[in-house]
Amino acid sequence: MAATILITGTNGLVGFRILTTALEAGHNVRFAVRSEDKARIVSSNPAVQKLAPGDRLSAVVIPDFTIQGAFDSALEGVTHIIHTGSPVPMPWYDPYKDIFEPTRKMCSNILSSALKTPGIKSVVITSSIVGNLGSVPPAHVVSAATRLPLPDPIPQTFKDGYEAYIIGKIVQLHDTDTFVREKKPPFGVANIVPGYVYGRNELALTVEAMGQSNSSNNAIIQGVTGGEMAFPVHMGFVHIDDIAEIHLRAAFLDREPNSDVSKDFGVARKVDYDTVWGYVEKAFPKAIQDGVLKKGNVPSLDFQYDSSDAEKLMDGKLKSFETAVLDVVGQYLEVSGREKA
Ligand SMILES: NC(=O)c1ccc[n+]([C@@H]2O[C@H](COP(=O)([O-])OP(=O)(O)OC[C@H]3O[C@@H](n4cnc5c(N)ncnc54)[C@H](OP(=O)(O)O)[C@@H]3O)[C@@H](O)[C@H]2O)c1
């Protein structure tokens, strides 16, 4: 029987690429979004249309993912789940209501609906390296298997959205560990733990979207359009094509059923943001000469991360930072109607 993958977060940077990668691999995809409008944005996107998925692609609209049982009927006939849709901090978000609470509730809802659904083979959950690192990266090496202590008591208020995001990811990893340990589910569970994700974002169809609705790619855009990131960016990266493939490989791994541990893959390879401008100077001299590209500033935060589990899963073939930078900047020039030179 062909696999049917339910994917969340498909109207966002990472989830959309997972969706197109899954379609390219021949899977059936059911994507869960919060409104019909968001479903249309995904299914009418030129990158999806180009794949002509026909009835291999369907949308399910769930207005509130945080309601218990919200996924019960959406999972009928589904074989694999990739849960990527989760808030990333925005200045206008309420830290508890819009970030911490949905991060936690959506994930536990999906896991409990999966437990009630016969035929689920795996649940893959997108986490973040901040779940292993906390707010201040430690001096020692951490990996996807690292767990920080569960805050006691679990906070109900946060100083800002970023703190809510970090604690949300820490608590989500603990909640998932507890679920797997206590329920020993018949399906495999994997946490995928990315550093900053960069690469083409097919959802960004305008210059404005490239700068404003482009999640982590915004760091690269700032760095090449004379901007400055308001906060330091972790020096660990993964190319968007690789993180999509890692999610799919993790979903289709052979596993012992009823295991009491998840299998986690983290990837945050060390980069130096000072190299960004050099890559751009070499590839796009005309755009610099024309004043379309200008050197900006990306302050960064150092840390040590062991990505070997994900590298092994990918047979050692991970795309370079230079490729990611040129993909993002090349797309920026494309949507600006400029020559890629
Ligand atoms: N991009 C990175 O560098 C990076 C690095 C590490 C980890 N991650 C993780 O990757 C995942 C996706 O990030 P992204 O970069 O793709 O972000 P993004 O472009 O902002 O997309 C976020 C996605 O999550 C969905 N979402 C957010 N809040 C939701 C809610 N309350 N209920 C239902 N859906 C909700 C959004 O849908 P709506 O439009 O309905 O809100 C959207 O589809 C997140 O878990 C993030 O923590 C990303």
Side-chain angles (χ1 to χ4, degrees), residues 207-263:
V207 181
E208 292 69 39
M210 280 299 292
Q212 288 161 17
S213 327
N214 207 352
S215 192
S216 38
N217 278 336
N218 188 38
I220 303 294
I221 299 294
Q222 294 292 322
V224 302
T225 55
E228 163 135 20
M229 286 298 283
F231 52 86
V233 173
H234 285 97
M235 292 170 102
F237 117 100
V238 55
H239 192 288
I240 193 161
D241 295 351
D242 292 334
I243 203 65
E245 181 64 27
I246 288 168
H247 279 80
L248 284 163
R249 288 193 185 192
F252 288 90
L253 273 182
D254 284 335
R255 285 196 187 76
E256 291 294 312
N258 307 108
S259 169
D260 62 358
V261 285
S262 61
K263 184 89 192 74

Side-chain angles (χ1 to χ4, degrees), residues 284-299:
F284 307 119
K286 184 159 185 312
I288 295 175
Q289 206 182 7
D290 293 349
V292 182
L293 300 178
K294 298 181 204 80
K295 191 171 190 303
N297 186 26
V298 184

Side-chain angles (χ1 to χ4, degrees), residues 9 11 13-14 34 38 84-86 127 165 169 195 197 215-216:
N11 62 317
L13 173 72
V14 178
R34 290 200 270 181
K38 290 177 185 191
T84 293
S86 196
S127 179
Y165 178 71
K169 293 297 193 193
V197 179
S215 192
S216 38

